[in-house]
Amino acid sequence: MEEMKWTQLWLGYHKIYDGDSAWQIALDGFGGEQRVIANALEEFKKAIEALTGEKVLGGSETASNSKTLTVSKKDSIPAEGYKVSGTQEGITLEASDERGALYGVFSIIRQIACGKRANEVSEETSPSNPLRMMNHWDNMDGSIERGYSGESFFYVNEEIVIDDRTRDYARFMASVGINGIVINNVNVKGAASYLITDRYFDKVAELSDIFADYGISLYMSLNFASPIEIGGMDSCDPLDKDVIAWWESKIKEVYTKLPNLGGFLVKADSEGRPGPFTYGRTQADGANMLADVIKPYGGIIIWRCFVYNCTQDWRDRKTDRARAGYDYFKEQDGAYHDNVILQIKNGPMDFQIREPVSPLLGGLTKTNQMLEVQIAQEYTGHQIDLCYLIPLFKEVLDFHTYCAEGKDTVADVVSGRTMGNTLGGMAAVINTGNDINWTGNDLAAANLYGFGRLAYDTELSAEQIAKEWIAMTFRLPEKEADILCSMLLRSREIYEKYSSPLGIGWMVTPNGHYGPSVDGYEYSRWGTYHRADHLGIGVDRTDKGTGYCQQYYKENAEMYNDPATCPEELILFFHHLPYTYMLKTGKTLIQHIYDSHFEGEEEARGLAADWDSLESVIPAESFKRVKERFDLQLYNAREWRDQVNSYFYRKSGIADEKGRTIY
Amino acid sequence: MEEMKWTQLWLGYHKIYDGDSAWQIALDGFGGEQRVIANALEEFKKAIEALTGEKVLGGSETASNSKTLTVSKKDSIPAEGYKVSGTQEGITLEASDERGALYGVFSIIRQIACGKRANEVSEETSPSNPLRMMNHWDNMDGSIERGYSGESFFYVNEEIVIDDRTRDYARFMASVGINGIVINNVNVKGAASYLITDRYFDKVAELSDIFADYGISLYMSLNFASPIEIGGMDSCDPLDKDVIAWWESKIKEVYTKLPNLGGFLVKADSEGRPGPFTYGRTQADGANMLADVIKPYGGIIIWRCFVYNCTQDWRDRKTDRARAGYDYFKEQDGAYHDNVILQIKNGPMDFQIREPVSPLLGGLTKTNQMLEVQIAQEYTGHQIDLCYLIPLFKEVLDFHTYCAEGKDTVADVVSGRTMGNTLGGMAAVINTGNDINWTGNDLAAANLYGFGRLAYDTELSAEQIAKEWIAMTFRLPEKEADILCSMLLRSREIYEKYSSPLGIGWMVTPNGHYGPSVDGYEYSRWGTYHRADHLGIGVDRTDKGTGYCQQYYKENAEMYNDPATCPEELILFFHHLPYTYMLKTGKTLIQHIYDSHFEGEEEARGLAADWDSLESVIPAESFKRVKERFDLQLYNAREWRDQVNSYFYRKSGIADEKGRTIY
């Protein structure tokens, strides 16, 4: 038996039933020579044979009891959408474009893998979001910034690697509806600056081709200082005509070599990256210049809004990092050209386990917006601790911004429904690497799967997505599937309970971001403070504090501004409160800290025990890998519990009402 | 003018006076062909010509008004000692060995550089310590563990580099009496394990030869697991006869190639290093085995006592890292063979700005002991902050252990006076690198100079050493020399004031060890805790606490055990006290914390201002380098002041009596 070099994730195709038919393929309006169609049919064949044992016949083959998959081009189906319906005669799949047909095939596969018979297959849908993207923070030396699943499978020693794994990766992404992939870290340094040069064009083109086979556009992160770093110029001022000319020439060259390139992602003026501010220009000046240059080629510029002062003085209580995105970007709302998208992190800080929704989302009303989330678990357990993030993403999508009557959720905004724009969507910082299981923790693949599915259909529930992923990945008996589903659904709240309380965030080991360090970021330059003293804790972001609350529309501003109406899971994000503050539960704030940390650690043990109960139904290798992660998670949960409780007990002097051990 | 690649430190030889003589050399009992004698005379010539303009004549030259340096072998002078005396006819230098003659020459040079005329030269002395060693923590990839002065000048890319700088380095070391140098990091890994193989023998021999030219023995750090790592064996059990045979063969090979090798330094069973504990053997088993093997070649084994549990649970208040050295090594006192030396750090923890003296020093009464200090400023400002450490070393040397009537100081113990043994001395973790000025901060060279001088003569005062170093390095007018001397002498206390208070230590940024992080090591595995809560701070190491006090002889044990008699600069090392505890100054403990931190920061500004006042008399490059360091020091001092004060104010809720700004 050949040693497995990587798993097939949710496309492992376990036998579901023994069918008694054979399948024929009929194309109507699509041609088998179309690359995406061809791969869709290949995928159907591979899947159906594995799932049901039913053969897919070649062009000239016939069989007595055959069924037919009919793939029809139907222009009334929305872009990238599909309609599939099964009958006794087979399945018809209608789509208006190749991507829709591919996604339709994966819908059929998913439904069968989840237990339907072919004749029961039925779905009509189209994507919620035009853009559904993965952002790789892979560096060309093979490392991955905030990667917890091994090294990059794109890069080894500054060379691009293309092999069977590349194709499998593209298949996985397409199977959940991803249509854009940024292949390199937003922090573009060293060799990555040369991705837009001859040094890498051939390999990038090859990669782009593989992506295109599965309906995926390749994007790159761009170094805003390219005119200096690779062009030998002495400026990258976006209004300098020589700089613009350099970019025109460069982009022309790039699109000659990479005609399918989707565009560029840019992190400028952030955390030491160069940008337009260096030249006294606005973010819009920078983004629009690139957008104008790329427009003739149909490309887009995705401009990150993660701009803030990262050399803050912790003594300064007026500056508020949470305000920065809105402060920098709101005033230029409407100034961005129409092939620019602003990519906005879900919260105003940085992927904490609990943050309010960024006020920029919907706060901008005349600018294309994309929601950025992180499935790499930078602050949420490094894919060691179980943390199914889809519930968090759902909360963000469902958040009412009050930006428009009846279509004011974040999902409305980024989908384009609010403004009627066509560029928007969702992007995730991906959690993959070259580990055998792709995501370090086998269970972290639920976030990889889930993000794609949710970006395609924001109406899906976190539970439904979890069930699909479990069925496709493990094919468990109902009871065990329910246990695993419950584990996933409980996990985010458990992580939150044993880590930093009530939305305050950041009580994390500096640099690494795994494990507790309550004061780790308290006296730092990063704008990340809890302001705990012997009496209380929290950041006053009300109208009497930093005024961050007032960046929201009135309804939310008022809700957040008042501790009585502020959602309590975020209360320390918005308010500095005494430890004796009474929460709606009837607990004091300090008692809540103690209780939630004891509970969180106990519930983490519950997760581990649940996993143990699945030993007989999970493949041994997978079981063992995850069990090892749970061992580490329990250690981590205990450290969080004891360090946070000890810190606050030592600081407040207030004893735990239940007299539990605090050190 | 040739660009200077490195400075000449205190051997820069500024013109002192214009002499009117010429010098002849006369040897009596020594031969000019003896390598050390030849170099001593070369050094005399170089120095005297630069300092006075007086020529040193070649063998056949004569002059009318000549003086003579007479170097005589006189067996009554103690080993490595010398007697120098000047008259109108010249200078006579008597010594019983080559090293003594070399040191005598450097004594002459020093006295003239410090202002004496040749006829006024006068000194009779011999070394306090048999061994005066530098320990390099240089790695073979060129990095230096805890190095703050650039990269290694011994190693580049796993190759040994020998050039003119190597010789200058040896000259500098000899000029202050260093007679042994360990050339590689005590954490022996990777290529360094192969220093005792053919891969490096030739280059090590070459380096050893240069050292020998200046009376310096070369030592290496040894990987205790060598039989496994380079020998291909499956054990390094020191009682295994195959292991012993491997070592016998290996050491024979080593001494064939490196006949002048002094011996080996070994860090075993410490911080992840392998050692005898792995095999259930004692530290003595390990050290003695190697000592027996090396004995036929006259080599010695220097065995570090830095053994402790580095995976401690912070919740555990019984285990005390401070106890570990004594607990591990005391019970085998007397079991170590006579060519073993135990190398003991000055304090029980790890080179903090203030620690009590290790109770092992003098606690051992039947074992060779060497005092280890660190002039690399790992915890004392990274050679950015000014911290002249000689006063600290003096305190250690002068400490009465009560181990023996009338000869109980640490200086007595390590010199051999207490026990009448001949192997002992002092070792420093060196602060050099390939920076142009060798020590990062030009002023940090005072520690390099000072350690050597102090190790040679432990009776010298910190002030005297500082004055010598200033005179030799800068040759300043008296007023400016006094300012600089005062800066050096104040600096250690200033650093202590703005960093961690009253001996508690460790409030430092984890890993890097520069700058404050009050809780940085509080919840760690390193055994380094301050145990601060809202009421008080400190570690109870009394008979009611960890019992560490009781590791000292009765007089010290009782002194430390009682807060009323415990030296207050160490009071939090030994006692957990309330913030309201009244110190002898009439200040509460918390007020002392506030006051000392405000004062320390202010006094650091005073140091910087003093430096500014020296601009006209210090060479421009040197002035600029140091000024840049002071800018960083002031930033650091301010961070320390504000973070420490804020931490304790937030925790205690007790206001500063003087109402100064605390954040």
Side-chain angles (χ1 to χ4, degrees):
Chain A
M1 195 177 116
E2 199 184 356
E3 196 191 359
M4 183 174 60
K5 289 180 181 148
W6 57 87
T7 69
Q8 287 293 307
L9 293 170
W10 52 87
L11 300 186
Y13 300 146
H14 312 274
K15 175 69 76 69
I16 301 294
Y17 62 85
D18 284 308
D20 54 8
S21 309
W23 286 82
Q24 291 185 308
I25 306 291
L27 293 181
D28 170 15
F30 290 112
E33 77 293 352
Q34 289 177 279
R35 67 205 301 185
V36 178
I37 298 296
N39 282 309
L41 297 178
E42 185 61 32
E43 202 66 32
F44 177 79
K45 176 177 158 72
K46 183 174 183 177
I48 208 73
E49 292 183 1
L51 291 167
T52 70
E54 294 176 337
K55 278 278 183 194
V56 176
L57 303 174
S60 59
E61 293 177 275
T62 56
S64 55
N65 58 342
S66 72
K67 289 183 284 194
T68 303
L69 170 69
T70 308
V71 183
S72 304
K73 190 166 195 306
K74 192 165 180 189
D75 293 339
S76 61
I77 303 282
E80 304 186 24
Y82 55 85
K83 180 179 177 184
V84 292
S85 53
T87 65
Q88 293 304 333
E89 286 71 43
I91 301 172
T92 59
L93 189 171
E94 296 172 328
S96 60
D97 53 24
E98 287 192 82
R99 282 180 179 165
L102 177 65
Y103 301 150
V105 163
F106 279 116
S107 169
I108 294 166
I109 294 169
R110 181 169 58 245
Q111 291 182 59
I112 293 174
C114 288
K116 284 190 182 169
R117 298 300 161 114
N119 63 306
E120 296 168 332
V121 162
S122 173
E123 190 183 18
E124 179 169 5
T125 188
S126 63
S128 308
N129 291 295
L131 291 168
R132 306 172 301 277
M133 301 186 67
M134 290 295 186
N135 289 183
H136 280 265
W137 285 2
D138 294 34
N139 298 314
M140 302 207 57
D141 63 1
S143 66
I144 302 177
E145 184 163 331
R146 307 305 175 183
Y148 313 105
S149 312
E151 299 282 292
S152 174
F153 47 76
F154 285 149
Y155 311 111
V156 173
N157 289 332
E158 308 201 335
E159 296 298 335
I160 296 173
V161 173
I162 294 174
D163 57 18
D164 287 347
R165 188 163 190 159
T166 320
R167 189 165 291 274
D168 269 352
Y169 167 70
R171 293 172 55 231
F172 300 146
M173 293 300 96
S175 77
V176 291
I178 295 299
N179 64 0
I181 290 173
V182 183
I183 61 167
N184 62 308
N185 189 355
V186 289
N187 293 312
V188 185
K189 297 175 190 172
S193 298
Y194 292 83
L195 280 170
I196 53 170
T197 69
D198 268 335
R199 180 164 161 195
Y200 292 112
F201 280 144
D202 288 351
K203 279 290 187 180
V204 174
E206 198 181 333
L207 189 55
S208 175
D209 259 0
I210 290 175
F211 285 2
D213 280 348
Y214 295 92
I216 298 165
S217 298
L218 184 147
Y219 294 75
M220 289 190 279
S221 294
L222 196 65
N223 186 342
F224 192 79
S226 295
I228 299 171
E229 293 197 21
I230 66 172
M233 304 182 72
D234 58 5
S235 169
C236 60
D237 179 350
L239 301 192
D240 180 303
K241 68 180 184 354
D242 292 337
V243 168
I244 296 169
W246 185 88
W247 277 117
E248 285 170 343
S249 163
K250 174 51 72 181
I251 296 298
K252 183 177 178 185
E253 179 193 5
V254 167
Y255 271 90
T256 305
K257 302 296 177 66
L258 306 169
N260 296 320
L261 186 73
F264 293 106
L265 176 65
V266 187
K267 176 180 181 178
D269 288 312
S270 175
E271 297 180 334
R273 303 308 300 153
F277 285 168
T278 310
Y279 303 97
R281 312 305 184 187
T282 66
Q283 297 294 302
D285 289 335
N288 290 338
M289 180 276 287
L290 290 171
D292 292 349
V293 171
I294 206 174
K295 187 158 189 170
Y297 310 98
I300 61 172
I301 296 297
I302 304 168
W303 193 265
R304 288 178 95 231
C305 293
F306 190 53
V307 177
Y308 68 99
N309 172 10
C310 67
T311 58
Q312 189 176 333
D313 190 326
W314 58 271
R315 303 164 186 85
D316 168 13
R317 294 190 180 223
K318 295 203 180 76
T319 305
D320 182 0
R321 170 170 167 178
R323 291 187 55 115
Y326 193 93
D327 284 344
Y328 283 124
F329 287 90
K330 170 63 181 173
E331 67 181 19
Q332 293 183 280
D333 189 16
Y336 293 88
H337 294 179
D338 62 7
N339 62 330
V340 173
I341 307 177
L342 296 189
Q343 184 164 306
I344 305 166
K345 293 193 182 193
N346 62 279
M349 298 297 277
D350 194 19
F351 304 135
Q352 303 300 294
I353 189 67
R354 179 79 68 173
E355 289 186 46
V357 169
S358 168
L360 262 183
L361 290 160
L364 300 172
T365 60
K366 292 170 275 185
T367 302
N368 296 320
Q369 293 160 64
M370 179 133 68
L371 171 64
E372 176 180 318
V373 298
Q374 191 190 44
I375 54 178
Q377 293 173 232
E378 176 177 356
Y379 294 97
T380 54
H382 283 201
Q383 291 147 238
I384 294 167
D385 298 25
L386 182 63
C387 194
Y388 178 58
L389 290 163
I390 308 304
L392 189 163
F393 304 158
K394 286 290 289 182
E395 287 168 10
V396 173
L397 290 167
D398 292 346
F399 180 74
H400 286 282
T401 66
Y402 296 96
C403 67
E405 185 82 26
K407 45 185 182 179
D408 71 334
T409 66
V410 170
D412 291 330
V413 170
V414 302
S415 67
R417 287 191 294 274
T418 305
M419 296 182 285
N421 57 325
T422 55
L423 281 183
M426 292 172 65
V429 180
I430 200 167
N431 62 350
T432 53
N434 69 357
D435 277 357
I436 192 171
N437 64 357
W438 299 83
T439 55
N441 189 331
D442 291 48
L443 303 185
N447 288 325
L448 183 62
Y449 178 89
F451 170 78
R453 291 286 291 138
L454 186 64
Y456 190 92
D457 182 355
T458 55
E459 294 299 305
L460 290 174
S461 73
E463 182 176 2
Q464 183 175 343
I465 291 171
K467 284 182 168 169
E468 285 179 10
W469 175 77
I470 292 166
M472 294 187 74
T473 305
F474 290 117
R475 177 152 170 71
L476 301 178
E478 188 175 339
K479 180 183 153 215
E480 284 79 5
D482 288 348
I483 289 172
L484 184 50
C485 184
S486 163
M487 289 170 62
L488 291 175
L489 293 174
R490 280 139 61 205
S491 61
R492 182 264 186 130
E493 195 185 348
I494 292 171
Y495 187 88
E496 181 182 30
K497 277 183 168 184
Y498 64 68
S499 59
S500 70
L502 300 172
I504 192 70
W506 293 108
M507 295 178 172
V508 71
T509 305
N511 307 317
H513 301 169
Y514 186 79
S517 177
V518 179
D519 272 358
Y521 277 104
E522 185 59 12
Y523 301 95
S524 78
R525 64 183 177 89
W526 297 99
T528 48
Y529 315 113
H530 56 62
R531 307 296 191 193
D533 61 19
H534 68 296
L535 296 175
I537 178 177
V539 180
D540 184 354
R541 292 190 163 104
T542 69
D543 52 358
K544 297 183 186 60
T546 70
Y548 166 78
C549 284
Q550 280 59 52
Q551 293 187 335
Y552 291 90
Y553 289 92
K554 182 164 174 287
E555 292 84 345
N556 287 331
E558 288 177 355
M559 172 182 71
Y560 288 136
N561 205 58
D562 181 351
T565 55
C566 181
E568 287 192 338
E569 68 271 17
L570 286 168
I571 203 162
L572 296 179
F573 192 92
F574 287 104
H575 301 277
H576 186 89
L577 297 172
Y579 296 121
T580 52
Y581 179 84
M582 196 61 74
L583 296 171
K584 293 187 182 69
T585 52
K587 289 179 184 179
T588 60
L589 196 157
I590 188 77
Q591 193 59 39
H592 172 88
I593 292 174
Y594 297 150
D595 286 353
S596 60
H597 284 77
F598 281 113
E599 286 165 21
E601 191 272 346
E602 190 176 333
E603 290 169 12
R605 282 186 278 127
L607 290 177
D610 278 359
W611 184 251
D612 286 342
S613 79
L614 302 180
E615 182 164 8
S616 63
V617 296
I618 300 284
E621 279 304 305
S622 183
F623 178 82
K624 179 163 166 284
R625 279 193 299 264
V626 175
K627 185 171 172 59
E628 286 167 358
R629 302 259 157 174
F630 273 121
D631 290 344
L632 297 172
Q633 178 171 3
L634 295 193
Y635 182 87
N636 190 39
R638 181 164 169 255
E639 282 300 316
W640 273 103
R641 177 195 71 186
D642 289 343
Q643 290 194 33
V644 171
N645 283 343
S646 296
Y647 179 96
F648 286 102
Y649 172 64
R650 291 185 191 183
K651 202 150 204 163
S652 69
I654 301 173
D656 172 37
E657 286 173 3
K658 300 183 185 167
R660 292 163 290 197
T661 302
I662 296 178
Y663 297 89
Chain B
M1 193 177 119
E2 199 184 357
E3 195 191 2
M4 182 173 62
K5 291 184 182 146
W6 57 87
T7 69
Q8 287 293 308
L9 292 171
W10 53 88
L11 299 187
Y13 300 146
H14 313 273
K15 174 69 77 69
I16 302 292
Y17 62 86
D18 285 306
D20 54 8
S21 309
W23 286 83
Q24 292 185 307
I25 305 290
L27 293 180
D28 170 17
F30 289 114
E33 77 294 349
Q34 289 177 278
R35 66 204 303 184
V36 178
I37 297 297
N39 282 308
L41 297 179
E42 185 61 32
E43 202 66 34
F44 177 78
K45 175 177 161 69
K46 182 174 184 176
I48 208 73
E49 292 184 358
L51 291 166
T52 70
E54 294 176 337
K55 278 280 185 194
V56 176
L57 303 173
S60 58
E61 295 176 274
T62 56
S64 56
N65 58 343
S66 73
K67 290 184 284 195
T68 303
L69 170 69
T70 308
V71 182
S72 304
K73 190 164 194 308
K74 192 164 178 190
D75 293 339
S76 61
I77 303 283
E80 303 186 26
Y82 55 84
K83 179 180 179 183
V84 292
S85 54
T87 66
Q88 293 304 332
E89 285 71 44
I91 301 171
T92 59
L93 189 172
E94 297 172 328
S96 60
D97 52 26
E98 287 192 82
R99 282 180 179 165
L102 177 66
Y103 301 150
V105 163
F106 279 116
S107 170
I108 295 166
I109 294 170
R110 180 169 60 246
Q111 292 183 58
I112 293 175
C114 288
K116 285 191 181 168
R117 299 300 161 115
N119 63 308
E120 298 167 332
V121 162
S122 172
E123 191 183 17
E124 180 170 5
T125 188
S126 63
S128 308
N129 291 295
L131 290 169
R132 307 171 300 279
M133 301 186 68
M134 290 295 187
N135 289 182
H136 280 266
W137 285 2
D138 295 31
N139 298 314
M140 302 208 56
D141 63 1
S143 66
I144 302 177
E145 185 164 329
R146 308 303 174 186
Y148 312 106
S149 312
E151 299 282 293
S152 173
F153 48 74
F154 285 149
Y155 311 109
V156 173
N157 290 333
E158 308 200 333
E159 295 299 334
I160 295 173
V161 173
I162 294 174
D163 57 19
D164 287 348
R165 189 164 190 158
T166 319
R167 187 165 292 274
D168 270 352
Y169 168 72
R171 292 172 54 231
F172 300 145
M173 294 301 96
S175 76
V176 292
I178 296 298
N179 65 359
I181 291 174
V182 183
I183 61 167
N184 62 307
N185 189 355
V186 288
N187 293 313
V188 185
K189 297 175 190 173
S193 298
Y194 291 84
L195 280 170
I196 54 170
T197 70
D198 268 336
R199 180 165 161 193
Y200 293 111
F201 279 142
D202 288 350
K203 279 289 186 182
V204 174
E206 199 181 334
L207 188 57
S208 175
D209 258 2
I210 291 176
F211 286 1
D213 279 347
Y214 295 92
I216 298 165
S217 297
L218 184 147
Y219 293 76
M220 289 190 278
S221 294
L222 196 65
N223 186 342
F224 192 78
S226 295
I228 298 170
E229 291 195 23
I230 66 172
M233 303 182 73
D234 57 5
S235 168
C236 59
D237 179 350
L239 301 193
D240 179 304
K241 67 181 186 351
D242 292 337
V243 169
I244 297 168
W246 185 88
W247 277 116
E248 285 170 342
S249 163
K250 172 53 69 181
I251 296 299
K252 182 176 180 186
E253 179 191 5
V254 167
Y255 270 90
T256 305
K257 302 296 177 67
L258 305 170
N260 296 320
L261 186 73
F264 294 105
L265 175 65
V266 187
K267 176 179 181 179
D269 287 313
S270 175
E271 297 180 334
R273 304 306 302 153
F277 284 167
T278 309
Y279 303 96
R281 311 305 184 188
T282 66
Q283 297 294 301
D285 289 335
N288 290 339
M289 180 276 288
L290 290 171
D292 293 350
V293 171
I294 205 173
K295 187 158 191 171
Y297 310 97
I300 61 173
I301 295 298
I302 305 169
W303 193 264
R304 288 177 95 230
C305 293
F306 190 51
V307 178
Y308 67 100
N309 172 10
C310 66
T311 56
Q312 190 176 334
D313 190 326
W314 58 271
R315 303 165 186 83
D316 166 14
R317 294 192 180 221
K318 295 205 179 77
T319 304
D320 181 1
R321 170 169 166 179
R323 292 188 57 114
Y326 194 93
D327 283 344
Y328 283 124
F329 287 90
K330 171 62 181 173
E331 67 180 18
Q332 292 182 281
D333 187 17
Y336 293 89
H337 294 181
D338 61 9
N339 62 332
V340 173
I341 307 177
L342 295 190
Q343 184 164 306
I344 304 165
K345 292 192 183 194
N346 63 279
M349 298 298 276
D350 194 19
F351 303 134
Q352 303 300 293
I353 188 67
R354 179 78 68 174
E355 290 185 45
V357 168
S358 168
L360 262 184
L361 290 160
L364 300 172
T365 60
K366 291 169 274 184
T367 303
N368 296 321
Q369 292 160 64
M370 179 133 66
L371 170 64
E372 176 180 318
V373 297
Q374 190 191 44
I375 54 177
Q377 293 173 233
E378 176 177 355
Y379 294 96
T380 55
H382 283 201
Q383 290 146 239
I384 294 168
D385 298 25
L386 182 63
C387 194
Y388 179 58
L389 289 163
I390 308 304
L392 189 164
F393 304 158
K394 286 290 289 182
E395 287 168 11
V396 173
L397 290 167
D398 292 347
F399 180 75
H400 285 283
T401 66
Y402 296 96
C403 68
E405 185 84 27
K407 44 183 182 181
D408 69 337
T409 67
V410 170
D412 291 328
V413 170
V414 301
S415 66
R417 287 190 295 272
T418 305
M419 295 182 286
N421 56 325
T422 55
L423 281 183
M426 291 171 66
V429 180
I430 200 167
N431 62 351
T432 53
N434 69 357
D435 278 358
I436 191 170
N437 64 358
W438 299 83
T439 55
N441 189 332
D442 291 47
L443 304 184
N447 288 324
L448 184 62
Y449 178 89
F451 170 78
R453 292 286 292 138
L454 185 66
Y456 190 93
D457 182 356
T458 55
E459 294 299 305
L460 290 174
S461 73
E463 182 176 3
Q464 183 175 343
I465 291 170
K467 284 182 165 166
E468 285 178 10
W469 175 77
I470 291 166
M472 295 188 73
T473 305
F474 292 117
R475 178 154 169 68
L476 301 180
E478 189 176 340
K479 181 182 152 216
E480 283 80 4
D482 288 348
I483 289 172
L484 184 50
C485 184
S486 163
M487 287 171 63
L488 291 174
L489 293 173
R490 280 137 63 204
S491 62
R492 183 265 185 129
E493 196 185 349
I494 291 172
Y495 187 88
E496 180 183 30
K497 277 184 169 184
Y498 65 68
S499 59
S500 69
L502 301 172
I504 192 70
W506 294 107
M507 295 178 173
V508 70
T509 305
N511 308 316
H513 300 169
Y514 185 78
S517 178
V518 179
D519 272 358
Y521 278 105
E522 185 59 13
Y523 301 95
S524 77
R525 66 184 176 89
W526 297 99
T528 50
Y529 315 112
H530 56 62
R531 307 295 190 194
D533 61 19
H534 68 296
L535 296 175
I537 178 178
V539 180
D540 184 355
R541 291 189 164 105
T542 70
D543 52 357
K544 294 180 188 61
T546 71
Y548 167 78
C549 285
Q550 282 58 54
Q551 292 187 336
Y552 291 91
Y553 288 92
K554 182 164 173 289
E555 292 84 346
N556 288 330
E558 288 176 354
M559 173 182 70
Y560 288 135
N561 205 58
D562 182 351
T565 54
C566 181
E568 287 193 337
E569 68 271 16
L570 286 169
I571 204 164
L572 296 180
F573 192 92
F574 288 104
H575 301 277
H576 185 90
L577 297 173
Y579 295 120
T580 53
Y581 179 84
M582 196 61 73
L583 296 172
K584 294 186 181 68
T585 53
K587 289 179 185 178
T588 59
L589 197 158
I590 188 77
Q591 193 59 39
H592 172 88
I593 291 174
Y594 297 151
D595 286 352
S596 60
H597 283 78
F598 281 112
E599 286 165 20
E601 191 271 345
E602 191 177 332
E603 291 168 12
R605 281 185 279 128
L607 290 176
D610 278 359
W611 185 251
D612 285 342
S613 79
L614 302 180
E615 182 165 9
S616 63
V617 297
I618 300 283
E621 279 304 305
S622 183
F623 179 81
K624 180 163 164 283
R625 280 195 296 264
V626 175
K627 185 170 171 59
E628 286 167 358
R629 302 260 158 176
F630 273 122
D631 289 344
L632 296 173
Q633 179 172 4
L634 295 194
Y635 181 88
N636 190 39
R638 182 163 169 255
E639 283 299 317
W640 272 102
R641 177 195 69 185
D642 289 343
Q643 289 194 33
V644 171
N645 283 345
S646 296
Y647 179 95
F648 286 103
Y649 172 63
R650 291 185 191 183
K651 201 150 204 162
S652 70
I654 301 173
D656 172 36
E657 286 173 2
K658 300 183 186 168
R660 290 163 292 196
T661 302
I662 295 178
Y663 298 88

